[in-house]
Amino acid sequence: MSAGVIDDISTLGSDSPFADDMQLERSRFLSILRRHMRATGTERSKLRNVVIDYLRFSPNADELINSLISTCVESKVTGRLDVAIDILSQLGVQILRYAWQFLVNDIKNWNGLYPNRAYEPNDDYWYILLRSVAQSDASAEERVRFVRMCGKAQS
């Protein structure tokens, strides 16, 4: 990570790249993510690493993962889903844990409102999660177990 990227990050808000205030942290994170999505070459690679580090070390990582996926799904940028998959797959066990929790919550939410439907209505969200888990370095056994459980959920 170059000093220039770190300097750029520190000018986005507080003195700490992982601010305690969730709104400030989310705003800073999304600013970096959007810059990453527009960047090319070396700058894109450096910003990708900054986004990954944010997700690895933030105490609010789950909220930031959700924001990343939502931003990429809603974006009009070409390759937006691949951007999310590329970043999230680098989180390994962390993205697997997030995906498990999302599946459990999704089933609970949908079964209460629509008992015959288990999935989030936006298929792009699940596409990103499934591809990210599949490409992560979590154990093959755990990745396959997660995909099988998704397949068993009522839809």
Side-chain angles (χ1 to χ4, degrees):
M1 208 178 319
S2 77
V5 172
I6 296 297
D7 292 340
D8 288 345
I9 294 167
S10 65
T11 62
L12 293 174
S14 77
D15 294 334
S16 169
F18 305 111
D20 290 332
D21 178 14
M22 180 54 203
Q23 292 295 14
L24 177 59
E25 183 179 14
R26 182 179 178 276
S27 175
R28 294 178 70 208
F29 173 78
L30 290 176
S31 176
I32 297 166
L33 175 64
R34 288 183 185 111
R35 284 176 48 205
H36 163 71
M37 292 173 77
R38 291 187 308 267
T40 58
T42 304
E43 181 185 10
R44 183 179 180 106
S45 177
K46 289 176 183 176
L47 289 169
R48 173 187 177 267
N49 291 336
V50 172
V51 170
I52 292 167
D53 285 346
Y54 239 106
L55 295 172
R56 281 188 177 137
F57 300 111
S58 171
N60 302 305
D62 286 354
E63 291 87 354
L64 296 179
I65 290 170
N66 188 54
S67 294
L68 180 146
I69 296 172
S70 296
T71 298
C72 289
V73 165
E74 295 166 7
S75 173
K76 303 296 183 207
V77 175
T78 302
R80 69 197 195 284
L81 303 183
D82 292 329
V83 166
I85 294 164
D86 177 53
I87 291 168
L88 296 174
S89 66
Q90 300 305 306
L91 300 179
V93 175
Q94 183 181 0
I95 193 59
L96 179 63
R97 183 193 49 75
Y98 174 88
W100 271 115
Q101 190 59 51
F102 189 85
L103 176 63
V104 168
N105 290 338
D106 199 38
I107 290 170
K108 284 180 188 176
N109 290 338
W110 279 107
N111 283 342
L113 297 174
Y114 306 99
N116 295 328
R117 184 163 180 177
Y119 290 103
E120 179 81 11
N122 191 325
D123 291 337
D124 289 343
Y125 204 103
W126 274 108
Y127 177 80
I128 289 169
L129 278 177
L130 287 167
R131 294 283 308 267
S132 296
V133 167
Q135 292 179 25
S136 76
D137 67 356
S139 76
E141 181 180 316
E142 286 299 312
R143 290 180 289 155
V144 169
R145 184 172 164 248
F146 174 73
V147 171
R148 285 187 177 150
M149 289 304 292
C150 287
K152 290 179 183 178
Q154 291 188 352
S155 58

